[in-house]
Amino acid sequence: MLLLQRKSFWLGSVCLFLIGATGYFLLSKQKGEMSTVRVGVSLTPTASPFLIAERLKLFEKHSLDVSLFPCVSGSACTQLMLDHNVDYATASESVVMFQSHEHNELALLVSFVESDNDLKLLTLGPNNIRNVAQLKGKRVGLIKGTASEFYFDSILLANDLKGLDVKKVYLDANDLVPALLSYRVEAISAWEPMGYQANLHSAAEVINLGTRGVYQLSFNLLSTTPYLEFVGDEPTRLLSALNEAIQWININPEQARILVAERLNIPVNQVEWSWQDYVFRLSLGNSLLSNLQFQARWADEAGLVAGPNPDFRDVFYSRPYQQATLQRY
C-alpha cells in the first residue's frame, strides 16, 4: 500500500510539473518573453531577410531565439512544418495554393520577397531548341506542385501553346540541373540559384526560353492556425524583426550581399546574379490573393487538385502583419 501511495504521489507530481511547464511556456510566449522559434528556410538569397536578421541579432532584439532549419525547397520546408518539426516555413505562393487544398490549418502570415525573373525555362545549345514551340515532343524537367510547374504552363499559355505535346518529367529540386546537364531532359523550369548553377557548370551554352514578367514569384512565411493561436505576440515580433532586416537590406544592399554570401558560403557574384530581380518588402495584399486564385484555377483545369478551391482569404492570417506594420509608424 505504501509503495502504491508513493507511485501515485510521484505520478501526480510529474503531471503537475508538466502542466506547470506547459502553462509557463504558453504564458511566456503570450507575454512577449524570449520565445524559441524554429523556421524552415530554403537557404538561397531569397531568404536574405532571415539571414540578415540572424546576423544583426534582430531576432534577439525582439525576444526571439530563432533557429533556421535548411530545406531544399518550399515544399520541403512546408512539410517540415506540417510534420511539426518546425514552427514556421518559407515557401512560394504555389506551394501555399497546393497545400491549402489538403490542409485547412495552413496560415499565410506575410510575403517578404518578390521577383518577376526568378523562374527560368532553360535548355542547352546542343539541343537546338531556340523557342518554346520547339519543345514539342521533348522532355521538360519540373518540380511537381510548385512554382516550377506553374511557370512552365504559364510560358506555354503566354506563347499560345497551351496544348503543346511535351513530356513532363517530375524531379526533385536537387536533380533538376544534373538532369539538364546530362541531357536526361531537354529543358528545365527552375528557380534561382539553379539558373546560376546551370551556367556555372555547363560546358555548353545555356539558353533561357522563358519570358520575364510572365510570373510574379513571392516567398512567404507560413505557419498553422493551431500553433499561432497559442503563441501570443510571437509572430508579430518575428515580422517586426524581418521588417527591420529588410529596411537594413534596402539601405545597405552591397553589405547585405556580402553578409548573405558569407552565411550561405557561396561567392558574392552568385548572390549578385539575381539580386537586382528581388524586391524585399513585407506585404499581404490583393495582388498575392489574386495570384493564388489564378493558380488555383490553373491547377483545377490541369487536374492537379481535387475538390473545390479554398477561399484564400481564410488562409491569410493578417493580424501579426497589421500589428507589425502599425509599429513602423
Side-chain angles (χ1 to χ4, degrees):
M1 179 66 69
L2 182 59
L3 181 61
L4 288 174
Q5 289 177 339
R6 287 180 176 176
K7 286 185 176 180
S8 298
F9 175 77
W10 182 82
L11 289 172
S13 299
V14 170
C15 290
L16 286 173
F17 172 78
L18 292 175
I19 293 171
T22 302
Y24 175 78
F25 171 76
L26 295 176
L27 185 61
S28 66
K29 284 190 173 244
Q30 291 172 351
K31 286 184 176 180
E33 297 179 4
M34 184 64 72
S35 301
T36 300
V37 176
R38 304 166 300 170
V39 186
V41 175
S42 299
L43 288 184
T44 71
T46 57
S48 293
F50 287 90
L51 307 181
I52 294 299
E54 178 187 59
R55 180 63 179 268
L56 300 182
K57 299 188 181 302
L58 297 176
F59 293 130
E60 289 90 334
K61 176 182 175 181
H62 292 274
S63 301
L64 298 168
D65 179 13
V66 174
S67 297
L68 302 181
F69 286 68
C71 31
V72 296
S73 68
S75 293
C77 291
T78 304
Q79 194 58 53
L80 276 178
M81 181 187 69
L82 294 172
D83 291 339
H84 307 291
N85 293 315
V86 297
D87 309 309
Y88 301 85
T90 62
S92 73
E93 77 291 331
S94 299
V95 175
V96 175
M97 184 274 294
F98 277 109
Q99 292 290 352
S100 295
H101 279 83
E102 300 180 15
H103 303 280
N104 57 16
E105 75 273 22
L106 200 68
L108 196 162
L109 291 159
V110 76
S111 171
F112 57 87
V113 62
E114 301 166 18
S115 173
D116 66 354
N117 196 38
D118 197 65
L119 273 290
K120 297 175 177 69
L121 181 58
L122 304 176
T123 187
L124 300 181
N127 290 322
N128 294 316
I129 299 171
R130 294 296 182 269
N131 59 63
V132 178
Q134 291 177 331
L135 288 173
K136 181 179 180 180
K138 305 299 184 181
R139 298 160 297 180
V140 180
L142 306 168
I143 305 170
K144 186 177 179 63
T146 67
S148 165
E149 185 168 16
F150 176 69
Y151 176 70
F152 176 67
D153 284 357
S154 297
I155 289 295
L156 294 183
L157 188 62
N159 286 272
D160 198 23
L161 295 168
K162 183 178 180 180
L164 188 69
D165 178 25
V166 297
K167 181 179 180 181
K168 290 184 175 182
V169 180
Y170 292 120
L171 300 167
D172 291 334
N174 287 333
D175 294 331
L176 215 55
V177 172
L180 177 68
L181 300 185
S182 62
Y183 295 93
R184 286 185 281 133
V185 296
E186 281 77 34
I188 60 172
S189 178
W191 53 70
E192 295 298 342
M194 286 184 268
Y196 175 85
Q197 293 167 352
N199 277 272
L200 181 66
H201 297 294
S202 176
E205 178 190 11
V206 178
I207 300 169
N208 181 16
L209 302 172
T211 304
R212 180 171 187 154
V214 166
Y215 166 51
Q216 182 81 15
L217 171 76
S218 68
F219 261 83
N220 311 281
L221 182 64
L222 315 178
S223 189
T224 61
T225 48
Y227 176 82
L228 294 173
E229 287 171 358
F230 288 99
V231 291
D233 68 345
E234 176 189 286
T236 300
R237 289 182 279 135
L238 182 58
L239 267 58
S240 295
L242 291 177
N243 186 60
E244 289 188 31
I246 287 172
Q247 290 177 345
W248 190 89
I249 288 170
N250 291 331
I251 294 173
N252 306 280
E254 183 175 356
Q255 192 173 353
R257 290 193 293 269
I258 294 172
L259 293 181
V260 169
E262 290 177 354
R263 176 62 174 83
L264 298 177
N265 194 28
I266 60 176
V268 174
N269 60 358
Q270 181 174 339
V271 178
E272 293 173 342
W273 171 266
S274 54
W275 188 269
Q276 69 277 5
D277 298 326
Y278 297 139
V279 176
F280 294 106
R281 62 175 180 176
L282 294 188
S283 63
L284 190 66
N286 289 332
S287 60
L288 179 57
L289 179 61
S290 298
N291 200 352
L292 286 165
Q293 293 169 336
F294 178 70
Q295 291 190 39
R297 289 194 295 271
W298 157 77
D300 185 48
E301 292 175 1
L304 297 173
V305 294
N309 288 325
D311 187 341
F312 293 106
R313 291 171 296 184
D314 296 334
V315 179
F316 281 23
Y317 195 93
S318 60
R319 187 169 64 251
Y321 169 71
Q322 293 168 349
Q323 293 172 341
T325 302
L326 285 174
Q327 291 175 5
R328 287 186 284 178
Y329 301 101

